[in-house]
Amino acid sequence: NNYQGEENKLDAYYAGAMLFDAKGQIKKIGNSLFTMIPKDDVVEWHPANADHWTRFALNLREFLDCMSKEGFKKAETYFDNLKLMSIYKWLEVPYTVEKIEGGKYRTYRAEVVL
């Protein structure tokens, strides 16, 4: 939904999600899915959300708490949608956001200290 004019890529997303799920790298919280890519003590995560943004923020907070309990020290994600910045402020967690120009879907990198 963030990229107007693009075709729906639900089938491709679903196929990729099934590969991550088979490795135990998908966590479902509420109506949000979080794909996890562990890298030592950092987890890279990518969301797929079907909840209202306020509920998504609560789901994200629960996800980050789970990642901390699993031993990760930081969580990072990449995004283009600036609306995500307000969610970090609302969560009241230590975070940084930097503009990286990493291409489509990777304009910004956010890191949360768990």
Side-chain angles (χ1 to χ4, degrees), residues 2-7 9 46 78-81 100-108:
N2 295 329
Y3 299 94
Q4 299 301 317
E6 283 193 6
E7 292 182 30
K9 297 180 181 176
H46 301 278
Y78 300 86
F79 61 94
D80 289 342
N81 186 343
I100 61 167
E101 298 296 345
K104 192 172 189 178
Y105 310 114
R106 289 181 171 268
T107 303
Y108 298 93

Side-chain angles (χ1 to χ4, degrees), residues 30-69:
N31 288 318
S32 303
L33 294 177
F34 298 92
T35 303
M36 306 171 292
I37 304 168
K39 303 185 236 177
D40 296 321
D41 63 350
V42 177
V43 63
E44 181 179 330
W45 62 277
H46 301 278
N49 180 54
D51 264 327
H52 185 271
W53 79 267
T54 55
R55 186 65 214 168
F56 171 66
L58 292 171
N59 297 343
L60 174 55
R61 182 57 192 239
E62 185 176 334
F63 170 75
L64 294 173
D65 289 345
C66 288
M67 295 299 97
S68 178
K69 288 176 186 169

